[in-house]
Amino acid sequence: MGTRTRRLADVLRQERLVSEVDLQCAEAEQLRGGGSLGRVLVEMGLCSEADLAGSLAKLFGLDLVDLAGRQLDTLAVSLIPEPLARRYGVIGVGFDDAGKLLVAMSDPANVIALDDLRTVTDRGVQPVVASRQDIAAALDRYSRMGDSVQEVADRFAYGDDDAGDLDAITEVAEEAPIVKFVNALIQQAVQDRASDIHIEPGEDALRVRYRVDGVLHPVTSQNRKIHAGVVSRLKIMADIDIAERRVPQDGRISVKAGGRAIDLRVSTLPTVYGEKVVLRILDKTSVLLQLSDLSFLDHNYQRYEQSFRKPYGMILVTGPTGSGKTTTLYATLNIINTPEVNIVTVEDPVEYRLPGISQVQMQPKAGLTFPVALRSILRQDPDVVLVGEMRDHETAQIGMEAALTGHLVLSTLHTNDAPSAVTRLTEMGIDPFLVASAVDCVLAQRLARRLCSRCKEAYRPTPAELHTAGLPWTDGMPLPTLYRADGCPACAKTGYKGRLAIHEVMPVTEDIERQIVEQASTADITACAASQGMRSLREDGLAKVVLGHTTLEEIARVIV
C-alpha cells in the first residue's frame, strides 16, 4: 500500500466518510484485486462518487467542480479527443488566467493521463477534480461537438456569408454534424438556465454567448467557416428564408430539451461580418408561475392584489426590456383565469401559449395592429384584456376607454419607475383626466440576481457602506448581517443562481388622481405616493438585501 493510498485513507477517516472496519475490508479487497482504494470503496458501496471526489480534492489540494451545475467551454471540451477522454475519465472544463487547459479528472494522481493530455493538446494542463459519474454524463452531453465543428469547417470551405452556392449551404445545414452542433448549443443553453443565445460572427471566429441571470457569458469561440451552416440550420428550423441575408428576419422554433417543451424566438440581424442570430429561450413551464413565486414582499403584494382583484380599471407594469414584465402579467392572469372569465390578449409577439386564454398575434403586414386588434377584442365580450405594450396614442386611448367601460386592462410601458408612467401617458397625448380615471395601479420592476444559497457568505458591512447604499443606520445601532457572493461549482463560480424581482407598487389614490389632473411633476407624484406607503425600487431591493436574497452590489447594478 503506497503513500497516496494511506493518505487517502487518512482523509476518509478525518472526514468520517468511511468507518475503520469498512476501510480495512476495502484495503484487503484492494490487495486481492488491485486497483485504487477509492475505486474499491465505491464498487463495494462503502463510499459515494461525490464523497470520493471531495476527498481526492482535499488530498491533492485541487478545486472540486460540480459539472452538472457548470458551464463548460466547448472549445476546451473539443481539445481532448473523445476516446482519450473516456479512457482516462477526463473532460476539458475551460481555461485559467494563464491560458492553461482546466481538465476535470476523477483520478488526479494519474500522471500518465496528464502527460498524454499535454502532448495531445499542446498546452499546459491544470487538473481539477470531479466525480467519475459527472465526467461521464458531461462527455455524453458534449461528445463529438469538436469533431462536428471540424468536419463542418473542412466541408464548408467558405468563410463569407455571401460566398458559396445556396444549395451547398442548405445541404451542409441539414447534415448530421451541423445539426448535432446546433442541438448541442440549444441543449447546453437550456441546461445552463440561459435566457438567450447570441451567435455572433467576427472577422476570424464565430463567438457564442449565453445570457444567464441577466448577464452575458462567453461559451465558445469556433471556426469562422461554420457560421453560414449554423445560421442556415437555424433558419430552416425557424421556417424563415435562408436566401435572404440583407434584412432582419424573425421566426420561432419549438423543441424538447431536458424533458420540457421549449420555444425559441429567433431573430437575425445583418452585420458587417455576416448575420448575427439571437435566440430567446421561452420555457413554457415559466408561465405556470404564481405571483407568490416572484419575490413580492407582503406589503407590495397586498397593494397589487387589491388592484388585480377588481373587475375593471387599468394595471400597468413598467420597466426596461428584459425586466420580467410579461412574466408578471402572465402570473397575474394565472390567478384570475377561471371558466367564468373571458380573457383575451393582443401581443407582439405571443411569447407563451396560455391554456384557456384567447391570444392574438400582431400581423402589421396584414393590417392587424394593436389598435385594430383592440377594437375587435372589445366586440368579443371580454372581461380581461391584456395589451402587450402601450406603444402609441391610439392604443393607449382605446385601452383607457376599455378600462372605464367595465374591463380589467393589463399592459406594459417602458418607464424607469411607477410615477413616471402617468407622465408618459400624458406625453403620449392622453388627457390627464382620462389617465387619472382609468389607471388603477402601476407596478415598476427590475430583475436582480439571487445569491447562491450554497455559497453565500455572511459579513458585517461598515457604516460607510451602509451610508453609501442608503440603508437606514445610526450610530449606536448594531450593524446588520448582510451577505455577499462567493462562488461555488453549483453557481459556476458566479456567486449567484437564479433571479428575483424588485418591485415598486403605486395604487392611484384620490390624491394622486388630483395631482395627475393638475399635471403635477413626476417628483410631486412620487412624493405623494411615498407619503401613502409606496416603497421605491431601491427600498424594496435593500429590504431583499437585508433578508439575504441578494447583494448591495447587485442592487447598485440594476437600480439607478
Side-chain angles (χ1 to χ4, degrees), residues 95 98 106 114 152 188 230 254 298-299 317 374 434 483 506 517 525 543:
F95 303 91
S106 58
L114 288 169
V152 174
Q188 184 187 348
V230 171
S254 294
D298 289 342
H299 172 79
V317 180
L374 198 46
L434 193 58
Y483 293 85
M506 186 187 80
V517 171
I525 295 173

Side-chain angles (χ1 to χ4, degrees), residues 73-84:
D73 187 324
T74 50
L75 180 59
V77 175
S78 67
L79 286 175
I80 304 174
E82 187 186 353
L84 189 70

Side-chain angles (χ1 to χ4, degrees), residues 157 188 236 269 277 305 388 424 455 477 520:
Q188 184 187 348
I236 290 169
L269 181 71
V277 182
E305 186 179 30
R424 173 80 179 111
C455 66
M477 291 176 59

